[in-house]
Amino acid sequence: MRASRLLSILTTLQARGHVTATALAEDCEVSVRTIYRDIDALSAAGVPVYSERGSEGGYRLLDGYRTRLNGLSAKEAEALFMIGLSGPAADLGLGPAMMAAQNKLLSAMPAQFRTGAEQMRARFHLDAPAWFAQAEQPAHLSLVAGAVWEQHPIRIRYRSWKAEKNRTVEPLGLVLKGGAWYLVGQVDGDARTYRIARILDLEVLEQRFERPAPFDLEAYWRAATLRLEADLHRNPATIRLSPWGMKMFEMFTSPFVRAAARIESEADAEGWRMATMPIGSIRQACIDLLRFGPDAEALEPPELRAAMAQIAAGLSTLYERPSAVVAEGRPRDKAVAA
């Protein structure tokens, strides 16, 4: 266990450059005192690790010191090939580089690990888009990726939900979500999110910008998605769900809605249950509830129930009258008739 921890500390220092004892203790799930002893052990073994004092102190390796890639366990070697992501890498223009890196990594592995790594690459595949959805191929993705990497601002013409806007953005990172690429960029000191497929024109500027030191792309995205879910579901609604509606509730609602919903444990005589769930606008709530058909009844708020009743009345009127195609004596479409 200690040998594995020492290797973990060494590779962490090598990857991050500067790490505090507290951060190392959290990563290794040990006490800070244990980290102190481990650092002493690394120093005694000839590893040039030194400490820096002060409020921003921590540990560093001597500049230029590198350890060879060894000490991988079989599971760690296999896990490395799970991050291949050949599709997204190709979208970014990195397909050949990704394949070359995997081949070099494979050749550097001990022979007993190569079979497992090859099996992992052959037996697992990432398909990012949702079912029945197609991955976006934004026209400006490669330019945006280059600007992110080289830290060049970009001037874009962007089509939002409401209008077209011109913005100068300092690109901080890229995120692939549900088959769509998003740019996280800084505008006037604030981080914002842009869907790359909605960028109409783009110009990469020559000057460079400095990334904000504390910015964490993963933490920003996690907080932004939670905030978006909350903003889109600000209002509560009370509904009744049939037994089949309960099953559809698990299938059709988002994890955010399911986690926030309160469903009564006791069902009525017909097996229906009362549920309180967060919703967005009345229009969007109607769209979501229409997927349930007759297996969900909106009770509150009153405007939601009235909107659903109006939609149901309109559907009833539409389907009670003869089809316009049949009334004119035209033959039904074969696919519909079938």
Side-chain angles (χ1 to χ4, degrees):
M1 289 293 292
R2 191 188 189 196
S4 176
R5 191 172 66 247
L6 291 174
L7 179 60
S8 177
I9 293 172
L10 177 57
T11 54
T12 299
L13 290 170
Q14 188 169 283
R16 300 185 192 175
H18 170 270
V19 191
T20 65
T22 301
L24 288 171
E26 292 176 354
D27 290 346
C28 297
E29 299 181 348
V30 295
S31 67
V32 174
R33 186 176 296 277
T34 299
I35 294 298
Y36 292 155
R37 290 196 293 266
D38 289 342
I39 293 294
D40 290 340
L42 288 174
S43 297
V47 176
V49 56
Y50 66 93
S51 63
E52 296 177 333
R53 298 184 181 277
S55 58
E56 297 184 359
Y59 293 105
R60 290 183 183 274
L61 292 173
L62 187 67
D63 290 344
Y65 178 82
R66 305 292 293 177
T67 183
R68 291 183 302 169
L69 179 63
N70 54 23
L72 283 175
S73 70
K75 289 298 182 183
E76 289 170 341
E78 292 170 6
L80 285 175
F81 282 86
M82 287 292 287
I83 62 174
L85 309 183
S86 57
D91 291 342
L92 295 172
L94 298 174
M98 176 69 74
M99 183 60 66
Q102 286 188 344
N103 290 337
K104 289 178 181 179
L105 176 61
L106 193 65
S107 65
M109 287 180 179
Q112 65 268 28
F113 292 169
R114 294 176 189 170
T115 300
E118 285 283 17
Q119 289 177 347
M120 187 67 71
R121 181 164 61 177
R123 299 181 187 184
F124 291 90
H125 171 67
L126 173 67
D127 186 11
W131 280 104
F132 314 115
Q134 187 175 5
E136 293 181 346
Q137 298 292 332
H140 302 292
L141 178 59
S142 59
L143 288 176
V144 174
V148 169
W149 186 253
E150 299 294 337
Q151 295 180 215
H152 288 296
I154 57 177
R155 185 178 293 119
I156 62 174
R157 183 165 63 93
Y158 185 78
R159 184 181 68 248
S160 68
W161 289 105
K162 298 180 179 179
E164 292 185 7
K165 303 176 182 178
N166 294 304
R167 290 282 187 271
T168 298
V169 182
E170 296 176 345
L172 301 177
L174 295 174
V175 176
L176 177 61
K177 173 74 171 179
W181 285 96
Y182 294 87
L183 164 67
V184 177
Q186 185 171 248
V187 178
D188 298 330
D190 294 328
R192 305 180 185 179
T193 302
Y194 300 89
R195 189 163 181 165
I196 297 179
R198 294 184 186 150
I199 296 177
L200 304 178
D201 295 309
L202 182 144
E203 177 188 1
V204 180
L205 305 182
E206 293 185 0
Q207 67 265 29
R208 290 170 58 89
F209 69 92
E210 291 297 323
R211 288 177 60 87
F215 182 75
D216 184 321
L217 179 62
E218 181 180 355
Y220 165 84
W221 186 258
R222 184 167 54 249
T225 52
L226 290 174
R227 186 168 58 251
L228 177 62
E229 285 274 20
D231 288 343
L232 292 178
H233 300 87
R234 288 180 174 273
N235 306 305
T238 302
I239 62 174
R240 289 176 68 238
L241 293 169
S242 72
W244 184 249
M246 287 293 302
K247 295 180 180 180
M248 289 192 289
F249 187 83
E250 294 295 323
M251 296 170 56
F252 292 158
T253 56
S254 70
F256 177 87
V257 172
R258 291 197 297 272
R262 299 192 303 274
I263 301 176
E264 292 188 0
S265 57
E266 295 185 5
D268 61 19
E270 297 177 345
W272 288 59
R273 294 186 184 182
M274 299 280 288
T276 302
M277 58 182 283
I279 61 170
S281 66
I282 295 299
R283 178 181 177 84
Q284 185 59 49
C286 289
I287 293 173
D288 293 338
L289 289 177
L290 283 172
R291 304 176 70 185
F292 290 80
D295 291 287
E297 178 188 4
L299 302 177
E300 294 179 349
E303 53 268 31
L304 174 59
R305 183 174 178 85
M308 288 294 292
Q310 185 178 4
I311 293 173
L315 289 173
S316 177
T317 301
L318 179 65
Y319 284 101
E320 283 179 354
R321 68 191 184 192
S323 167
V325 174
V326 176
E328 294 176 6
R330 297 176 185 173
R332 292 179 179 271
D333 182 82
K334 292 181 180 179
V336 175

PDB file of all heavy atoms in Angstrom, residues 152-181:
ATOM      1  N   HIS A 152      -5.714  32.359 -27.635  1.00  0.00           N
ATOM      2  CA  HIS A 152      -5.995  33.512 -28.471  1.00  0.00           C
ATOM      3  C   HIS A 152      -7.461  33.883 -28.325  1.00  0.00           C
ATOM      4  O   HIS A 152      -8.337  33.014 -28.417  1.00  0.00           O
ATOM      5  CB  HIS A 152      -5.716  33.207 -29.943  1.00  0.00           C
ATOM      6  CG  HIS A 152      -4.262  33.102 -30.275  1.00  0.00           C
ATOM      7  ND1 HIS A 152      -3.389  34.163 -30.165  1.00  0.00           N
ATOM      8  CD2 HIS A 152      -3.519  32.044 -30.722  1.00  0.00           C
ATOM      9  CE1 HIS A 152      -2.179  33.772 -30.527  1.00  0.00           C
ATOM     10  NE2 HIS A 152      -2.228  32.491 -30.864  1.00  0.00           N
ATOM     11  N   PRO A 153      -7.781  35.164 -28.113  1.00  0.00           N
ATOM     12  CA  PRO A 153      -9.187  35.568 -28.106  1.00  0.00           C
ATOM     13  C   PRO A 153      -9.810  35.347 -29.479  1.00  0.00           C
ATOM     14  O   PRO A 153      -9.108  35.307 -30.496  1.00  0.00           O
ATOM     15  CB  PRO A 153      -9.128  37.059 -27.756  1.00  0.00           C
ATOM     16  CG  PRO A 153      -7.765  37.296 -27.200  1.00  0.00           C
ATOM     17  CD  PRO A 153      -6.871  36.295 -27.850  1.00  0.00           C
ATOM     18  N   ILE A 154     -11.120  35.209 -29.507  1.00  0.00           N
ATOM     19  CA  ILE A 154     -11.831  35.060 -30.776  1.00  0.00           C
ATOM     20  C   ILE A 154     -12.952  36.089 -30.836  1.00  0.00           C
ATOM     21  O   ILE A 154     -13.539  36.440 -29.827  1.00  0.00           O
ATOM     22  CB  ILE A 154     -12.409  33.636 -30.955  1.00  0.00           C
ATOM     23  CG1 ILE A 154     -13.338  33.281 -29.789  1.00  0.00           C
ATOM     24  CG2 ILE A 154     -11.302  32.615 -31.101  1.00  0.00           C
ATOM     25  CD1 ILE A 154     -14.013  31.923 -29.932  1.00  0.00           C
ATOM     26  N   ARG A 155     -13.208  36.578 -32.045  1.00  0.00           N
ATOM     27  CA  ARG A 155     -14.335  37.475 -32.276  1.00  0.00           C
ATOM     28  C   ARG A 155     -15.396  36.675 -33.037  1.00  0.00           C
ATOM     29  O   ARG A 155     -15.120  36.116 -34.100  1.00  0.00           O
ATOM     30  CB  ARG A 155     -13.898  38.691 -33.083  1.00  0.00           C
ATOM     31  CG  ARG A 155     -15.006  39.733 -33.255  1.00  0.00           C
ATOM     32  CD  ARG A 155     -14.514  40.951 -34.017  1.00  0.00           C
ATOM     33  NE  ARG A 155     -13.519  41.697 -33.250  1.00  0.00           N
ATOM     34  CZ  ARG A 155     -12.264  41.906 -33.647  1.00  0.00           C
ATOM     35  NH1 ARG A 155     -11.854  41.405 -34.801  1.00  0.00           N
ATOM     36  NH2 ARG A 155     -11.434  42.590 -32.903  1.00  0.00           N
ATOM     37  N   ILE A 156     -16.602  36.573 -32.464  1.00  0.00           N
ATOM     38  CA  ILE A 156     -17.622  35.712 -33.041  1.00  0.00           C
ATOM     39  C   ILE A 156     -18.914  36.483 -33.301  1.00  0.00           C
ATOM     40  O   ILE A 156     -19.204  37.483 -32.654  1.00  0.00           O
ATOM     41  CB  ILE A 156     -17.937  34.506 -32.130  1.00  0.00           C
ATOM     42  CG1 ILE A 156     -18.505  34.973 -30.776  1.00  0.00           C
ATOM     43  CG2 ILE A 156     -16.713  33.639 -31.927  1.00  0.00           C
ATOM     44  CD1 ILE A 156     -18.975  33.839 -29.873  1.00  0.00           C
ATOM     45  N   ARG A 157     -19.647  35.996 -34.298  1.00  0.00           N
ATOM     46  CA  ARG A 157     -21.043  36.394 -34.484  1.00  0.00           C
ATOM     47  C   ARG A 157     -21.869  35.185 -34.094  1.00  0.00           C
ATOM     48  O   ARG A 157     -21.751  34.123 -34.686  1.00  0.00           O
ATOM     49  CB  ARG A 157     -21.316  36.796 -35.936  1.00  0.00           C
ATOM     50  CG  ARG A 157     -22.744  37.285 -36.190  1.00  0.00           C
ATOM     51  CD  ARG A 157     -22.855  38.007 -37.529  1.00  0.00           C
ATOM     52  NE  ARG A 157     -22.549  37.127 -38.642  1.00  0.00           N
ATOM     53  CZ  ARG A 157     -23.477  36.425 -39.321  1.00  0.00           C
ATOM     54  NH1 ARG A 157     -24.763  36.508 -38.967  1.00  0.00           N
ATOM     55  NH2 ARG A 157     -23.122  35.658 -40.329  1.00  0.00           N
ATOM     56  N   TYR A 158     -22.685  35.364 -33.071  1.00  0.00           N
ATOM     57  CA  TYR A 158     -23.342  34.232 -32.404  1.00  0.00           C
ATOM     58  C   TYR A 158     -24.852  34.383 -32.461  1.00  0.00           C
ATOM     59  O   TYR A 158     -25.388  35.463 -32.216  1.00  0.00           O
ATOM     60  CB  TYR A 158     -22.882  34.162 -30.937  1.00  0.00           C
ATOM     61  CG  TYR A 158     -23.389  32.963 -30.174  1.00  0.00           C
ATOM     62  CD1 TYR A 158     -22.814  31.716 -30.341  1.00  0.00           C
ATOM     63  CD2 TYR A 158     -24.443  33.097 -29.266  1.00  0.00           C
ATOM     64  CE1 TYR A 158     -23.269  30.618 -29.627  1.00  0.00           C
ATOM     65  CE2 TYR A 158     -24.904  31.995 -28.546  1.00  0.00           C
ATOM     66  CZ  TYR A 158     -24.308  30.763 -28.739  1.00  0.00           C
ATOM     67  OH  TYR A 158     -24.763  29.688 -28.044  1.00  0.00           O
ATOM     68  N   ARG A 159     -25.525  33.288 -32.795  1.00  0.00           N
ATOM     69  CA  ARG A 159     -26.986  33.290 -32.831  1.00  0.00           C
ATOM     70  C   ARG A 159     -27.518  32.658 -31.558  1.00  0.00           C
ATOM     71  O   ARG A 159     -27.436  31.456 -31.353  1.00  0.00           O
ATOM     72  CB  ARG A 159     -27.504  32.511 -34.050  1.00  0.00           C
ATOM     73  CG  ARG A 159     -29.026  32.555 -34.197  1.00  0.00           C
ATOM     74  CD  ARG A 159     -29.499  31.748 -35.397  1.00  0.00           C
ATOM     75  NE  ARG A 159     -29.290  30.318 -35.184  1.00  0.00           N
ATOM     76  CZ  ARG A 159     -28.416  29.577 -35.860  1.00  0.00           C
ATOM     77  NH1 ARG A 159     -27.637  30.137 -36.779  1.00  0.00           N
ATOM     78  NH2 ARG A 159     -28.284  28.286 -35.620  1.00  0.00           N
ATOM     79  N   SER A 160     -28.063  33.488 -30.677  1.00  0.00           N
ATOM     80  CA  SER A 160     -28.675  32.993 -29.448  1.00  0.00           C
ATOM     81  C   SER A 160     -30.141  32.693 -29.711  1.00  0.00           C
ATOM     82  O   SER A 160     -30.617  32.777 -30.847  1.00  0.00           O
ATOM     83  CB  SER A 160     -28.533  34.025 -28.329  1.00  0.00           C
ATOM     84  OG  SER A 160     -29.311  35.167 -28.616  1.00  0.00           O
ATOM     85  N   TRP A 161     -30.868  32.359 -28.646  1.00  0.00           N
ATOM     86  CA  TRP A 161     -32.291  32.092 -28.801  1.00  0.00           C
ATOM     87  C   TRP A 161     -33.057  33.334 -29.255  1.00  0.00           C
ATOM     88  O   TRP A 161     -34.073  33.236 -29.939  1.00  0.00           O
ATOM     89  CB  TRP A 161     -32.883  31.600 -27.475  1.00  0.00           C
ATOM     90  CG  TRP A 161     -32.433  30.223 -27.100  1.00  0.00           C
ATOM     91  CD1 TRP A 161     -31.509  29.909 -26.137  1.00  0.00           C
ATOM     92  CD2 TRP A 161     -32.852  28.992 -27.669  1.00  0.00           C
ATOM     93  NE1 TRP A 161     -31.333  28.554 -26.077  1.00  0.00           N
ATOM     94  CE2 TRP A 161     -32.158  27.953 -27.007  1.00  0.00           C
ATOM     95  CE3 TRP A 161     -33.755  28.657 -28.679  1.00  0.00           C
ATOM     96  CZ2 TRP A 161     -32.330  26.614 -27.328  1.00  0.00           C
ATOM     97  CZ3 TRP A 161     -33.928  27.314 -28.989  1.00  0.00           C
ATOM     98  CH2 TRP A 161     -33.222  26.321 -28.321  1.00  0.00           C
ATOM     99  N   LYS A 162     -32.562  34.496 -28.882  1.00  0.00           N
ATOM    100  CA  LYS A 162     -33.325  35.722 -29.132  1.00  0.00           C
ATOM    101  C   LYS A 162     -32.813  36.539 -30.314  1.00  0.00           C
ATOM    102  O   LYS A 162     -33.597  37.147 -31.027  1.00  0.00           O
ATOM    103  CB  LYS A 162     -33.308  36.596 -27.870  1.00  0.00           C
ATOM    104  CG  LYS A 162     -33.965  35.939 -26.663  1.00  0.00           C
ATOM    105  CD  LYS A 162     -33.909  36.860 -25.445  1.00  0.00           C
ATOM    106  CE  LYS A 162     -34.588  36.215 -24.245  1.00  0.00           C
ATOM    107  NZ  LYS A 162     -34.530  37.091 -23.046  1.00  0.00           N
ATOM    108  N   ALA A 163     -31.492  36.573 -30.513  1.00  0.00           N
ATOM    109  CA  ALA A 163     -30.961  37.451 -31.550  1.00  0.00           C
ATOM    110  C   ALA A 163     -29.522  37.053 -31.874  1.00  0.00           C
ATOM    111  O   ALA A 163     -28.934  36.197 -31.213  1.00  0.00           O
ATOM    112  CB  ALA A 163     -31.017  38.903 -31.085  1.00  0.00           C
ATOM    113  N   GLU A 164     -28.992  37.694 -32.907  1.00  0.00           N
ATOM    114  CA  GLU A 164     -27.585  37.530 -33.245  1.00  0.00           C
ATOM    115  C   GLU A 164     -26.775  38.586 -32.510  1.00  0.00           C
ATOM    116  O   GLU A 164     -27.182  39.745 -32.410  1.00  0.00           O
ATOM    117  CB  GLU A 164     -27.379  37.662 -34.757  1.00  0.00           C
ATOM    118  CG  GLU A 164     -27.976  36.525 -35.555  1.00  0.00           C
ATOM    119  CD  GLU A 164     -27.643  36.639 -37.034  1.00  0.00           C
ATOM    120  OE1 GLU A 164     -26.836  37.535 -37.382  1.00  0.00           O
ATOM    121  OE2 GLU A 164     -28.185  35.855 -37.823  1.00  0.00           O
ATOM    122  N   LYS A 165     -25.614  38.166 -32.000  1.00  0.00           N
ATOM    123  CA  LYS A 165     -24.778  39.062 -31.226  1.00  0.00           C
ATOM    124  C   LYS A 165     -23.329  38.928 -31.673  1.00  0.00           C
ATOM    125  O   LYS A 165     -22.896  37.861 -32.111  1.00  0.00           O
ATOM    126  CB  LYS A 165     -24.880  38.742 -29.725  1.00  0.00           C
ATOM    127  CG  LYS A 165     -26.291  38.801 -29.161  1.00  0.00           C
ATOM    128  CD  LYS A 165     -26.305  38.387 -27.704  1.00  0.00           C
ATOM    129  CE  LYS A 165     -27.727  38.406 -27.135  1.00  0.00           C
ATOM    130  NZ  LYS A 165     -27.755  37.964 -25.724  1.00  0.00           N
ATOM    131  N   ASN A 166     -22.576  40.027 -31.537  1.00  0.00           N
ATOM    132  CA  ASN A 166     -21.139  40.015 -31.778  1.00  0.00           C
ATOM    133  C   ASN A 166     -20.422  40.074 -30.439  1.00  0.00           C
ATOM    134  O   ASN A 166     -20.745  40.913 -29.590  1.00  0.00           O
ATOM    135  CB  ASN A 166     -20.734  41.207 -32.644  1.00  0.00           C
ATOM    136  CG  ASN A 166     -21.312  41.110 -34.047  1.00  0.00           C
ATOM    137  OD1 ASN A 166     -21.103  40.126 -34.745  1.00  0.00           O
ATOM    138  ND2 ASN A 166     -22.056  42.133 -34.457  1.00  0.00           N
ATOM    139  N   ARG A 167     -19.483  39.162 -30.249  1.00  0.00           N
ATOM    140  CA  ARG A 167     -18.783  39.065 -28.977  1.00  0.00           C
ATOM    141  C   ARG A 167     -17.292  38.820 -29.214  1.00  0.00           C
ATOM    142  O   ARG A 167     -16.902  38.136 -30.164  1.00  0.00           O
ATOM    143  CB  ARG A 167     -19.326  37.895 -28.136  1.00  0.00           C
ATOM    144  CG  ARG A 167     -20.726  38.116 -27.586  1.00  0.00           C
ATOM    145  CD  ARG A 167     -20.681  39.039 -26.380  1.00  0.00           C
ATOM    146  NE  ARG A 167     -21.981  39.135 -25.732  1.00  0.00           N
ATOM    147  CZ  ARG A 167     -22.906  40.019 -26.044  1.00  0.00           C
ATOM    148  NH1 ARG A 167     -22.656  40.883 -27.031  1.00  0.00           N
ATOM    149  NH2 ARG A 167     -24.053  40.065 -25.413  1.00  0.00           N
ATOM    150  N   THR A 168     -16.469  39.363 -28.336  1.00  0.00           N
ATOM    151  CA  THR A 168     -15.061  38.992 -28.271  1.00  0.00           C
ATOM    152  C   THR A 168     -14.886  38.137 -27.025  1.00  0.00           C
ATOM    153  O   THR A 168     -15.167  38.583 -25.907  1.00  0.00           O
ATOM    154  CB  THR A 168     -14.154  40.230 -28.204  1.00  0.00           C
ATOM    155  OG1 THR A 168     -14.331  41.004 -29.394  1.00  0.00           O
ATOM    156  CG2 THR A 168     -12.697  39.813 -28.100  1.00  0.00           C
ATOM    157  N   VAL A 169     -14.454  36.908 -27.217  1.00  0.00           N
ATOM    158  CA  VAL A 169     -14.448  35.905 -26.156  1.00  0.00           C
ATOM    159  C   VAL A 169     -13.036  35.388 -25.940  1.00  0.00           C
ATOM    160  O   VAL A 169     -12.296  35.139 -26.896  1.00  0.00           O
ATOM    161  CB  VAL A 169     -15.384  34.723 -26.514  1.00  0.00           C
ATOM    162  CG1 VAL A 169     -15.419  33.702 -25.377  1.00  0.00           C
ATOM    163  CG2 VAL A 169     -16.780  35.222 -26.841  1.00  0.00           C
ATOM    164  N   GLU A 170     -12.672  35.220 -24.690  1.00  0.00           N
ATOM    165  CA  GLU A 170     -11.421  34.550 -24.337  1.00  0.00           C
ATOM    166  C   GLU A 170     -11.754  33.087 -24.056  1.00  0.00           C
ATOM    167  O   GLU A 170     -12.344  32.763 -23.024  1.00  0.00           O
ATOM    168  CB  GLU A 170     -10.786  35.210 -23.113  1.00  0.00           C
ATOM    169  CG  GLU A 170     -10.372  36.653 -23.365  1.00  0.00           C
ATOM    170  CD  GLU A 170      -9.833  37.323 -22.121  1.00  0.00           C
ATOM    171  OE1 GLU A 170     -10.041  36.778 -21.008  1.00  0.00           O
ATOM    172  OE2 GLU A 170      -9.220  38.397 -22.246  1.00  0.00           O
ATOM    173  N   PRO A 171     -11.421  32.171 -24.981  1.00  0.00           N
ATOM    174  CA  PRO A 171     -11.848  30.772 -24.841  1.00  0.00           C
ATOM    175  C   PRO A 171     -11.061  30.040 -23.758  1.00  0.00           C
ATOM    176  O   PRO A 171      -9.827  30.001 -23.781  1.00  0.00           O
ATOM    177  CB  PRO A 171     -11.578  30.182 -26.223  1.00  0.00           C
ATOM    178  CG  PRO A 171     -10.489  31.026 -26.785  1.00  0.00           C
ATOM    179  CD  PRO A 171     -10.678  32.406 -26.225  1.00  0.00           C
ATOM    180  N   LEU A 172     -11.795  29.453 -22.818  1.00  0.00           N
ATOM    181  CA  LEU A 172     -11.166  28.772 -21.681  1.00  0.00           C
ATOM    182  C   LEU A 172     -11.205  27.255 -21.789  1.00  0.00           C
ATOM    183  O   LEU A 172     -10.370  26.572 -21.207  1.00  0.00           O
ATOM    184  CB  LEU A 172     -11.851  29.207 -20.377  1.00  0.00           C
ATOM    185  CG  LEU A 172     -11.825  30.698 -20.067  1.00  0.00           C
ATOM    186  CD1 LEU A 172     -12.612  30.982 -18.791  1.00  0.00           C
ATOM    187  CD2 LEU A 172     -10.409  31.209 -19.936  1.00  0.00           C
ATOM    188  N   GLY A 173     -12.198  26.699 -22.485  1.00  0.00           N
ATOM    189  CA  GLY A 173     -12.282  25.242 -22.568  1.00  0.00           C
ATOM    190  C   GLY A 173     -13.428  24.798 -23.434  1.00  0.00           C
ATOM    191  O   GLY A 173     -14.322  25.576 -23.791  1.00  0.00           O
ATOM    192  N   LEU A 174     -13.404  23.517 -23.806  1.00  0.00           N
ATOM    193  CA  LEU A 174     -14.437  22.888 -24.621  1.00  0.00           C
ATOM    194  C   LEU A 174     -15.099  21.775 -23.828  1.00  0.00           C
ATOM    195  O   LEU A 174     -14.431  21.058 -23.069  1.00  0.00           O
ATOM    196  CB  LEU A 174     -13.845  22.303 -25.905  1.00  0.00           C
ATOM    197  CG  LEU A 174     -13.254  23.296 -26.905  1.00  0.00           C
ATOM    198  CD1 LEU A 174     -12.577  22.534 -28.040  1.00  0.00           C
ATOM    199  CD2 LEU A 174     -14.334  24.200 -27.452  1.00  0.00           C
ATOM    200  N   VAL A 175     -16.396  21.610 -24.034  1.00  0.00           N
ATOM    201  CA  VAL A 175     -17.153  20.547 -23.372  1.00  0.00           C
ATOM    202  C   VAL A 175     -18.016  19.855 -24.419  1.00  0.00           C
ATOM    203  O   VAL A 175     -18.673  20.516 -25.231  1.00  0.00           O
ATOM    204  CB  VAL A 175     -18.058  21.106 -22.249  1.00  0.00           C
ATOM    205  CG1 VAL A 175     -18.918  19.997 -21.649  1.00  0.00           C
ATOM    206  CG2 VAL A 175     -17.214  21.764 -21.165  1.00  0.00           C
ATOM    207  N   LEU A 176     -18.002  18.522 -24.422  1.00  0.00           N
ATOM    208  CA  LEU A 176     -18.873  17.731 -25.289  1.00  0.00           C
ATOM    209  C   LEU A 176     -20.002  17.183 -24.426  1.00  0.00           C
ATOM    210  O   LEU A 176     -19.766  16.412 -23.501  1.00  0.00           O
ATOM    211  CB  LEU A 176     -18.096  16.581 -25.926  1.00  0.00           C
ATOM    212  CG  LEU A 176     -18.898  15.617 -26.804  1.00  0.00           C
ATOM    213  CD1 LEU A 176     -19.519  16.345 -27.987  1.00  0.00           C
ATOM    214  CD2 LEU A 176     -18.015  14.464 -27.274  1.00  0.00           C
ATOM    215  N   LYS A 177     -21.223  17.585 -24.722  1.00  0.00           N
ATOM    216  CA  LYS A 177     -22.392  17.199 -23.919  1.00  0.00           C
ATOM    217  C   LYS A 177     -23.499  16.713 -24.844  1.00  0.00           C
ATOM    218  O   LYS A 177     -24.009  17.468 -25.663  1.00  0.00           O
ATOM    219  CB  LYS A 177     -22.877  18.397 -23.106  1.00  0.00           C
ATOM    220  CG  LYS A 177     -24.192  18.188 -22.350  1.00  0.00           C
ATOM    221  CD  LYS A 177     -24.023  17.306 -21.139  1.00  0.00           C
ATOM    222  CE  LYS A 177     -25.280  17.297 -20.284  1.00  0.00           C
ATOM    223  NZ  LYS A 177     -25.148  16.428 -19.100  1.00  0.00           N
ATOM    224  N   GLY A 178     -23.867  15.428 -24.722  1.00  0.00           N
ATOM    225  CA  GLY A 178     -24.972  14.898 -25.496  1.00  0.00           C
ATOM    226  C   GLY A 178     -24.799  15.045 -26.993  1.00  0.00           C
ATOM    227  O   GLY A 178     -25.769  15.280 -27.709  1.00  0.00           O
ATOM    228  N   GLY A 179     -23.561  14.937 -27.493  1.00  0.00           N
ATOM    229  CA  GLY A 179     -23.312  15.063 -28.918  1.00  0.00           C
ATOM    230  C   GLY A 179     -23.143  16.492 -29.394  1.00  0.00           C
ATOM    231  O   GLY A 179     -22.904  16.718 -30.580  1.00  0.00           O
ATOM    232  N   ALA A 180     -23.253  17.480 -28.510  1.00  0.00           N
ATOM    233  CA  ALA A 180     -23.103  18.892 -28.873  1.00  0.00           C
ATOM    234  C   ALA A 180     -21.846  19.454 -28.212  1.00  0.00           C
ATOM    235  O   ALA A 180     -21.566  19.162 -27.050  1.00  0.00           O
ATOM    236  CB  ALA A 180     -24.328  19.694 -28.447  1.00  0.00           C
ATOM    237  N   TRP A 181     -21.109  20.276 -28.953  1.00  0.00           N
ATOM    238  CA  TRP A 181     -19.897  20.904 -28.445  1.00  0.00           C
ATOM    239  C   TRP A 181     -20.218  22.290 -27.901  1.00  0.00           C
ATOM    240  O   TRP A 181     -20.938  23.058 -28.543  1.00  0.00           O
ATOM    241  CB  TRP A 181     -18.843  21.031 -29.544  1.00  0.00           C
ATOM    242  CG  TRP A 181     -18.156  19.748 -29.885  1.00  0.00           C
ATOM    243  CD1 TRP A 181     -18.464  18.890 -30.903  1.00  0.00           C
ATOM    244  CD2 TRP A 181     -17.027  19.177 -29.210  1.00  0.00           C
ATOM    245  NE1 TRP A 181     -17.605  17.823 -30.903  1.00  0.00           N
ATOM    246  CE2 TRP A 181     -16.710  17.968 -29.877  1.00  0.00           C
ATOM    247  CE3 TRP A 181     -16.262  19.564 -28.111  1.00  0.00           C
ATOM    248  CZ2 TRP A 181     -15.666  17.156 -29.477  1.00  0.00           C
ATOM    249  CZ3 TRP A 181     -15.214  18.748 -27.711  1.00  0.00           C
ATOM    250  CH2 TRP A 181     -14.921  17.566 -28.388  1.00  0.00           C
TER     251      TRP A 181
END
